[in-house]
Every structure is written in C-alpha cells, then in structure tokens.
Amino acid sequence: MRVNRILLSSALVVVALVIQVSVLARLHLPGAVPDLMLLTVLGLALVYGHVGGALVGFGAGLLADLAPPADHAAGRYALVLCVIGYLAGLAKPETGRLKSATGPMVVVVAAAVGTTLLYAGVGALVGDTAARHVGLGSLLFTAALYDLLLAPFVVPGIMALARRAENDPLADTGSGGKATDISSGWLSGGTGLRIGSQRNGLRVKAARARMARAGRIKGVKRL
C-alpha cells in the first residue's frame, strides 16, 4: 500500500476505534452494537479495492482485538474483517465513482450479516458460545439495522477522504498529456498560423513591389 493510504487508513481506524469503545459500546442498545470499525473498512475497501480492503480490514481487526476491553481471542476479529474487507473490495466500481447509493447500502447490509455470522462461527470453533445465549437471529437483525442507519453518515465521507488523498499516476499522466496536447495545439494552431500568415503577407508585398518596379522600368523604356 502507498504511504498516503497507510497514513489515512491508520488515522481513520484509530478514530473509529476510539468512538466505538468510548461512545457506541456504552449506548447499551438492544442486540448488537453499531460497528463503526466495519463501516470504516467498507468505505476504504470500496476505494482501494480487494487487496487494500483486506489489508485495512486485518489491521483494523487486529487493533480491535488488542484494544481494551476486548474479551475474545486475539486475531478473531482481524480474520473476520480481513475477509469482509476483501469481499467488499470486489464491489469497487471500475470508474471509481458510485452512480447510486443502492450498491453501498447492499454492501453494508451484507457485510453486517456476514461479519456477525463469521464472528459467531469463529467463536464456536474456539469454544465461545455467547452468540447462542444472546440469540443469533436478533444479532443479525440489529447489526444490519444499526449499521445501515449509521452508514450514510460514515461511508460516503470516508470514501471522499480516500479519493482526495489518492495520487493517481495515471490521472497525472493523462493531465500532463492533455496539457502537452493543448500546448502543441496552441503553438501549431495559434502562433504557427500567425507566423505563416505574416510570412505569406511579406511574400505578397515583395511580389507586388517587384511588379511595380517592373512596370516602372517598362514605362521608362517606352518613353
């Protein structure tokens, strides 16, 4: 990943984690907790693609695993967000611009459901059965609902920041090529025509002067 991507992703993930732990986790909402870390990973994955999404997801999940008051095995959430970030990056638009909000909202709902299922599945493998006591159905519904309500305030802003921080060499080359074309076109189409017209004008004037001189010489000879 590029340096600007790493810096921006790290800053956004840290801010999301602080808000997640200090604010959202203390709301005591029924069912699941709004997952700001997941939405941050989704916003970056939709701009950086599947590879960048997987790397950001792994880093964000590992940070969440190590940050207090984490009560699960380290690496569990990192694995989940790595997979979700990779899959979300596959939905990155080819042009880099979203035509509507329907696609990202579908990605958010699918990611919320997938994250809950993967987290519960990995927990079952390591002996964590907390999801069974709470109720997996209610967790899936509330996770999708909370993340969908929070997504319009988070995902578009993160995508805009990621695009603004991007330095696309292809875009720079294209703009440079365009400037070169404009410059060459201006030189050939503007100055070149003017110089050509001035040269043609000088040639016409010289020809007229020669014709006038020849007429004068002929008139003198006739006299």
Side-chain angles (χ1 to χ4, degrees):
M1 293 181 68
R2 300 175 182 174
V3 177
N4 55 348
R5 289 188 177 186
I6 296 175
L7 294 177
L8 178 63
S9 302
S10 302
L12 291 176
V13 167
V14 170
V15 172
L17 179 62
V18 172
I19 297 176
Q20 181 80 35
V21 174
S22 61
V23 179
L24 298 179
R26 299 183 179 182
L27 294 178
H28 301 292
L29 297 173
V33 177
D35 199 341
L36 187 59
M37 296 284 287
L38 173 63
L39 297 179
T40 303
V41 172
L42 293 180
L44 295 174
L46 289 174
V47 177
Y48 296 156
H50 57 283
V51 177
L55 294 176
V56 172
F58 179 80
L62 186 60
L63 184 62
D65 288 333
L66 299 177
D71 56 352
H72 54 269
R76 179 178 173 183
Y77 200 47
L79 175 62
V80 172
L81 283 188
C82 180
V83 174
I84 295 299
Y86 179 86
L87 296 177
L90 296 176
K92 173 188 175 182
E94 296 180 357
T95 59
R97 298 291 179 180
L98 298 174
K99 297 181 180 179
S100 65
T102 304
M105 293 300 102
V106 173
V107 172
V108 168
V109 174
V113 174
T115 301
T116 305
L117 290 176
L118 284 175
Y119 190 81
V122 175
L125 293 177
V126 297
D128 185 3
T129 59
R132 297 181 182 179
H133 301 288
V134 177
L136 186 59
S138 62
L139 285 178
L140 292 174
F141 176 76
T142 53
L145 178 61
Y146 296 154
D147 292 345
L148 187 60
L149 293 176
L150 187 60
F153 304 98
V154 178
V155 177
I158 290 178
M159 293 181 67
L161 289 175
R163 289 197 190 100
R164 183 171 296 180
E166 279 288 272
N167 292 322
D168 192 356
L170 296 179
D172 296 339
T173 303
S175 61
K178 186 176 180 181
T180 303
D181 294 338
I182 292 175
S183 301
S184 61
W186 176 77
L187 290 174
S188 61
T191 309
L193 287 179
R194 291 179 181 178
I195 294 174
S197 61
Q198 291 176 359
R199 290 178 179 177
N200 292 332
L202 292 176
R203 290 177 182 177
V204 172
K205 290 180 180 180
R208 290 179 180 177
R210 291 174 184 175
M211 292 177 62
R213 291 177 183 176
R216 292 175 183 176
I217 293 173
K218 290 180 179 180
V220 171
K221 287 183 179 180
R222 289 176 182 178
L223 293 175

